[in-house]
Amino acid sequence: MAAQRQSRKLPNNVAPEGGAPFPDSEGRPDVPPADTLDIAVRAYAEPAKKPPATRKSRRSAPPSAWTLVFDTETTIDASQRLRIGTYRIYEENELDEQGIFYVPDDPLALSSEDIATIKSYARRKRCKLRTVADFVDNVFYQVGYHFRATIVGFNLPFDISRLAIGHDAARAVTITSKEDPEARTTYRNMVGGFTFQLSQHKRPRVLIKHRSSKDAFYQFTSLVRGGRARRGFFVDVKTIAAALLGKPFTLKKLAEELEVEHRKLQEDKHGGPVTEKYLDYAVRDTLATWECFQALRDRFNGYQLKQTPLHTLHSEASLGKAYLKQMGIRPFMEVHPDFPRELLGAIMSSYFGGRSEVHIRRKVTRVLYCDFLSMYPTVSTLMGSWAWVRSQGVIWDDATKDIQALLKSISLADLQNPTFWPSLTTLVQVQPDQDIFPVRAKYGSEDEQYRLALNHLTSKTPLWFTLADCIASTFLTGRPPKVLKAWRFAPRGVQPDLKAIDIAGNPDYRVNPGTEDFYKRLIDLRRSVQKRQKKAKNGITADILKNEQLAIKNVANATTYGIFIELNPDEGKETQSGTCYGACESFPINIAAYEQPGAYFHPLIAVFTTGAARLMLATAEHLAIAAGLTWAFCDTDSMALAKPDDMPEDVFLIKAQSVRDWFTPLNPYTEKGPVFKIEDDNFRLAQSKVTGEIEPLYCYAISPKRYALFNRDSRGTPIIRKALAHGLGHLYAPLESDPIHKNIPKPPISLDDMEIKGWQYSFWYRILQAALAGGDVKPKIDDLPGFKRPATTRYGASTPSILAWCKGFNRGLDYRNQIKPFNFMLRFYAGLILPPRLVGEDETPRRSRPLQLRPIAQFDTDVLRAARSCRDRNTGEHIDSGYLSTYAEELAPYHIHPDSKFLNGQYDDTGFTQRRHVIAGHIHNIGKEADSLQEQLEHGSDPDAIIEYGIGPGGERITRDQIREMLHHTNLSRLQIASGVSRRRLMDVRDGNVVPKPNTLKKIALGLQRMATGDDSRRHDIDALLKIARSERDRIGLRKLARFLGYDHSTVLQVLDGNRSPSAKLLRKLKMLGDGRRI
Amino acid sequence: MDERKKRIECHKQTRLETLMTNEPICKTCAETHYNCFEKHHIAGKRYSDEIVLECKNCHAKLTALQKGHPPPTDDNPSLEEIIGRFLLGLADFFELLVDTLRKFGEYLIEQALLVGNGGATSEPETAK
């Protein structure tokens, strides 16, 4: 650990024009040398012209009593074309018609024998038999559209897209008002989705916009462009199950969970000849879907959320909003519309999510793994957040002096007093000077996204943080931050006419929002239901109680935090002017995508709740250090307290339990008990059941969310208790049967309970084996089942832009044979290739740049066959399967995954990570970070996925003229390496020949800063990369390595031997090695 | 379902969509057939968007009563006039309702007597 390194005084204390110099940063022994990094804060942006308040509010009729349930079966080739479908029509709960539909004229889908089997089956089972066109016109449109039925399916986008005979990308719709022809409104809410033509006749098309693997938006279009449309009522059982039950389900698992009468049958082989068994399976699927829908619908109706129809339920958050609506809670932006936008910007800039950090990296450590009891509801109850939700607005006053005094005198005893927590609703503007605050930055040069970490922060620009973050910094640094301003907020009054509601529709669980603390009541109720559930002797009663306690838990989670920070990007096409409000002064912007606040947007609640949760974690960290312990990792609401090597086991347990017990007085609920709970993973298992006896638990953490917890048997081998699939989940199981390697012991609890797959378990086991062997032993993974196959990701063509990658495959094919929207596709992984050297017109050989391949293939159950036909998604050109990385190659660097958020987090680093010291460079104002995360995981990161509002006044660090001046006194060769900007370009900037782009300026400023500070961390990066390159040289030879890097082997040798500094270009290529790219 | 029933159902659902409810009921006479309904503007169309579902007969009666309201005072009615028109509309509504309430009250008492005497029940003419 490099904690003892002496910090240097920052030499480049450059002041912006007219601005104050950097704060006086006296070196402190516990603060490492500084890095200048651009940081990002969330901002609130508003267009100058307010969007129209939706169409004239018109109460619409609910769906009729009709329900159409259908399901489709397809071929398993790349086209995934429709073969047959089954449907059921219900009026209320009475079956009106059930039937089968089939494709009559596609021999590739159904043979004449298949059709004969279907006809005979339908006759025998008294199912109505229709062709697909008949089904579309006389069932789908007749019942689904004209009867205003609820259209139900499981994974509905896939099923509807199977019926399609054509599709287009959805477009914006402009509506001209009848009263005022000049007034036009453009709706873009379905842009990014597909519109499907299902019928040969003139019928409304169906619009589907994919939102996530669990959710989509649907509607019928209008027959007249811009005219009024009957939108239809679509319910995907997958969506409502996730919303009501709090986790995703397959149809099979859902039918089991809901204990419906008819479960999903074991399928006959998909794609084979149609048999009676296969038809039974298809018919049963629709019946199981109906019964699951019925069970979920009845459960939801029992909740008596009459103002929220079932088809509008998209997630747990929808459920939370439905409860607030039912209580008559009016949104903050409605009761307090004139809340100052500058203040809203300051509030948004202080918003950060949960901490996910690793403190002891790649070292087996004895831990006690603890988590906080319902973290967000608990801190919400402690702070009295419910009073904010039901308030008629917000009042605030200047509390600068009070907060300055408080931070000087704050003690742990204050925090341990529950009456202190309501006073945390204060926003503080500070001048960070080596304080420890949440910092959102692109820490590593390879980072394309901002990441959050609690680091030392110095900034010339004052920044806003919650009081909770200021207290956390005070405890962690031992000194208060410099407070410039503090606003203390309080709720104003109580909204009138709030209605009592029955949670989960049970009158025993009545909550009166006007007089009770909703969050406290929820957790109290849940605890009492859990107790009754444990005591219940009757299985049915226990099941009912289990459902009730889960329903309460879902409501608590859905109403405490997420819905208050809901901002939805508006997918605009044309830019419009507006204002961005952030940490500094507001500034004008001109962008296309503004974020629209969600229905219950109330950022104060979200900011204070997440701040208080971080304070809980920081307090646990502080208490652990004070007790002589340390910690291995933390993740939002949990922390693994770690035993120092020299501490006896019994002393560790006593001290760790004292940390746990410290939080117990903060329990705000009726039933008292620990708030910081010891997790079940710490206790011995007997026949897969948890006993009350502590068994030593060990942790091996690589980087945030990449850790495993395990016990050790008498021989010291690992028994995995918990391992995360983070960084693995995007990969398809290497083998369909997903076996565990024969030499690896079976897990002590089921893989389902552990929430990982068999191959992921085997992989983690081998990592732990290598870690326990010590030294630099690499995990042996190439013998794991299927790990020599190409690494594969399965994804859906869910947006027009993703489908566009398939143009190469679709060229020249008729619609049926094409890859269509929502088809499954396969993605492979490949390293860089060096194209052959090109000879220019002057016959001078030109060095080619390595190409990053992006192989995709049509779906095929035989992955190896698919790999042989893969193409580059950008160029459409065929890629030889020899270029594809195997699972073993792709996952080879997993166990050394770097964590650039902290020092000592590079590839080969082990042991304690150390907080970095960040000097804030530019301050970027950004929008929501989490948008399209899933898509990015499947298709690679997309730096444009985040909305950047820009750098406002006060957010800049250094001017162009200052940089130009500094270039005159700088060694440009060194700066070239430090900044990654070519020497030629640096000279042009210095001599005023070019006007550098902002990005180039940023790189140069960063390079200058690195040179001035000596930048140990960068040197450290280079050393780590050279170490990897040397090991590659030993493995494959110098010449092969040099060929891969595109350099002469003698140059590479000089660099590897330390006789020559690597150029910026060579460093970039070395980084590809560091990222685990295969040669 | 045969074609005739399908056509009827389509028409029914279109009507219900227009009425913005699946269970329409006349507030005056308790009629429930979906095809008998019209929207009645309580204060008059010029004065307010507030509507109530009424069966065609009751709507005609209410519209007749509305003819007795004072003539419009101005092209842009004041708030006072709008409230006044609304109250007059409510008065019309109660005027019609009085008759129904009286008949229904008498019916319930009659039923109570019949039950007390061990007799059978029957529906009144107006209650549906």
Side-chain angles (χ1 to χ4, degrees), chain A residues 499-557:
Chain A
K499 294 188 263 308
I501 57 159
D502 299 333
I503 304 292
N506 188 336
D508 292 339
Y509 309 151
R510 173 151 288 213
V511 183
N512 190 336
T515 55
E516 288 177 284
D517 187 314
F518 183 61
Y519 301 130
K520 178 176 182 298
R521 177 90 172 112
L522 284 178
I523 302 299
D524 281 345
L525 276 176
R526 185 174 174 220
R527 298 295 287 262
S528 74
V529 177
Q530 273 175 327
K531 269 184 167 178
R532 281 165 53 206
Q533 182 196 339
K534 275 182 190 165
K535 283 182 192 164
K537 287 172 187 161
N538 181 331
I540 296 169
T541 315
D543 285 345
I544 292 169
L545 292 169
K546 182 185 155 205
N547 289 337
E548 285 181 347
Q549 69 96 358
L550 280 176
I552 296 167
K553 179 188 167 193
N554 288 347
V555 179
N557 289 337

Side-chain angles (χ1 to χ4, degrees), chain A residues 181-195:
Chain A
E182 294 294 309
R184 289 181 173 186
T185 315
T186 302
Y187 296 93
R188 303 186 187 280
N189 55 332
M190 296 302 265
V191 174
F194 292 103
T195 150

